[in-house]
Amino acid sequence: MSNGPVGVALVGAGVISGQYLRNLTTFPDVRVLAVADLDADRAATVAREHGVPVSGDLGTALALPEVEIVVNLTVPSAHAAVALEALRAGKHVYGEKPFAMDMDEGSKVMAEAANRGLRLGCAPDTFLGAGLQSALHALRAGLIGTPVAVAAATQSLGPESWHPNPEFFYQPGGGPLFDLGPYYLTALVSLFGPVERVAAGTRKAREQRVVGSGPKAGTAFPVDVPTHVNALLDFPGAATATATFSFDSPVNRRVIEVIGTEGALSLPDPNTFEGPLLARGLHDTDWRELPVSGTTVSRGIGVLDLARSLRAGTPHRASGELAYHVLELMSSIAQSGERSEFRPITSTTTAPEPLPADWDPHAATLS
C-alpha cells in the first residue's frame, strides 16, 4: 500500500482496546480492519462494538494484506513476541508500553525491524497532547530561560485498593517504575533529549499486599519488585532530573516541575493529554496558568502520526527508538538501585519534533 488511509489491526482486546478503538475509528487517515485476541469470543465482541469487519486470532489479522500497522495491546509479557511475529509478517508495529520486558527482548525487536526495513512505535503518546506540546513550545521559546533542574514524582498507595486483579503490578515488568515510569521518562526525554547516565535508590515497603476490591478482596499476594524508586537522571548539556515513582505513599502526587534561570514551569500529569500548564517568574509569589493548544483526543494519536509519517516518508514521533531508550532508562534505574552505582546509558534517541500547529486527527490528509 502506498496511498490512501492506512490499514490497522489491533491485537489484544482488553480494557485499553476500547480507548484506542473509540479514537482510531474516527480518524479518516486510518482504517481499523481487524481485532485479534487469544479469546476469539472477546475479539468478536469488541470488533462488533466498534464496527470492525474482521476478528479472530493474531494469524487472522496478519493474513490481511491491507493491514500495514499492528497495534499491539497485549499484556507486557507478550509485547516482544507479538511484535516479532508481526514484523516477520511484514507489518509495522505500534505497541503499548513498556516496549519490552527487558533489554534483550527489546534489542531483538529493534534488530528485526531494522533488518526488515519496518517501523516501530510505542506508547505513551501523551507527550503529543496539548499540555506537553505547549510545555515544549514554552521551553523552546525561552519562557523560563535555560532549564537547570527537573523534579518529577508520581506517588500513591498503589492500585490494589481499586483493581480487582492487581498482582501483575507487583511482578517483574511492573511496579511503579515500569507501570508509570514510561509516562514521566518519555515526557522528560521529549523535552530534554536523551539521558547519559542514571543512579537510583529503591525500596520495598511490604513483602505482601492485599486485594482491596472485587471477588478476590482480602486475598494476600507477594510483592516481587521495588515499590518506591528515587532516581537521578543526567541529561548531557541540559538539566538534571530527580524522579520518584512510588506505590508506598499516602500522599498522592503527580508532578513535573522544571526550574530555569528565569523562572519555573509546572507541567500537566504526563498520563494525560491536557493541561494545566503553569509558570512563574523569579520573583512571582504564585503560579499563573498558561494557555495550551493542540490535540486532546488521547490514546491513538501516536498510531495516527505513524500512519501519516509512513505515507509522507518522514520520521514519526512516538518511535521505537524513543521507547527503547526509555526501556534502558528503566532497566538501568532498577540495576542502579540493586548495585548502588551510576549506570551509563548506551542507547540514544532524538527528541521528537513538535506537532505542527494545525495537526488535526480528524482531518482527512491521505485520501
Side-chain angles (χ1 to χ4, degrees):
M1 304 291 290
S2 60
N3 51 53
V6 176
V8 168
L10 266 72
V11 181
V15 174
I16 199 171
S17 68
Q19 297 181 43
Y20 275 87
L21 286 165
R22 281 191 292 274
N23 291 328
L24 292 176
T25 54
T26 68
F27 299 161
D29 288 343
V30 167
R31 289 188 302 149
V32 183
L33 301 173
V35 175
D37 196 274
L38 290 172
D39 184 334
D41 290 338
R42 182 165 66 173
T45 298
V46 170
R48 186 167 53 252
E49 287 175 353
H50 295 277
V52 178
V54 176
S55 66
D57 60 11
L58 176 58
T60 299
L62 296 182
L64 295 174
E66 301 87 357
V67 169
E68 298 177 68
I69 299 173
V70 168
V71 180
N72 182 4
L73 307 181
T74 56
V75 296
S77 59
H79 284 179
V82 170
L84 288 169
E85 191 167 347
L87 290 167
R88 289 165 183 159
K91 313 298 186 183
H92 308 282
V93 176
Y94 182 97
E96 251 301 325
K97 53 84 180 171
F99 183 68
M101 291 286 284
D102 55 44
M103 293 300 291
D104 287 341
E105 281 190 351
S107 296
K108 290 176 183 176
V109 174
M110 293 289 286
E112 191 73 29
N115 290 339
R116 295 178 180 274
L118 295 167
R119 295 200 188 200
L120 294 169
C122 190
D125 53 5
T126 47
F127 72 94
L128 299 176
L132 291 175
Q133 287 286 296
S134 297
L136 176 60
H137 288 298
L139 288 170
R140 290 195 172 189
L143 181 67
I144 62 168
T146 302
V148 175
V150 182
T154 175
Q155 300 172 204
S156 72
L157 282 174
E160 67 269 25
S161 64
W162 55 267
H163 199 292
N165 298 290
E167 293 90 342
F168 73 95
F169 286 105
Y170 296 92
Q171 297 169 356
L177 177 59
F178 279 81
D179 180 47
L180 297 173
Y183 298 107
Y184 288 79
L185 297 173
T186 301
L188 294 180
V189 173
S190 74
L191 294 171
F192 303 110
V195 176
E196 187 172 58
R197 60 178 184 160
V198 300
T202 60
R203 295 291 185 271
K204 181 166 57 175
R206 294 183 291 282
E207 294 296 327
Q208 288 189 327
R209 299 256 175 162
V210 177
V211 180
S213 64
K216 296 191 293 185
T219 304
F221 60 90
V223 176
D224 297 325
V225 294
T227 50
H228 188 93
V229 178
N230 286 323
L232 176 66
L233 302 96
D234 191 4
F235 295 87
T240 60
T242 59
T244 299
F245 310 100
S246 183
F247 283 166
D248 294 329
S249 175
V251 178
N252 284 299
R253 181 175 292 128
R254 292 169 181 81
V255 63
I256 299 178
E257 291 182 356
V258 184
I259 298 171
T261 54
E262 302 299 326
L265 278 179
S266 176
L267 277 55
D269 180 349
N271 193 9
T272 67
F273 292 79
E274 304 177 2
L277 175 63
L278 309 176
R280 64 192 301 168
L282 292 179
H283 305 294
D284 291 345
T285 58
D286 204 353
W287 298 96
R288 67 184 187 279
E289 187 165 352
L290 301 177
V292 299
S293 61
T295 183
T296 58
V297 165
S298 83
R299 283 170 175 80
I301 58 175
V303 180
L304 176 61
D305 182 53
L306 170 57
R308 288 177 173 176
S309 296
L310 277 175
R311 292 288 185 262
T314 56
H316 61 286
R317 293 166 177 82
S319 67
E321 179 187 73
L322 173 59
Y324 182 76
H325 185 67
V326 169
L327 175 64
E328 185 180 3
L329 295 183
M330 295 188 296
S331 299
S332 297
I333 287 169
Q335 291 169 1
S336 176
E338 294 172 358
R339 303 176 187 179
S340 299
E341 63 183 15
F342 268 97
R343 300 289 296 172
I345 303 301
T346 59
S347 65
T348 190
T349 188
T350 302
E353 286 298 310
L355 287 171
D358 60 351
W359 196 85
D360 180 2
H362 295 115
T365 72
L366 302 180
S367 57

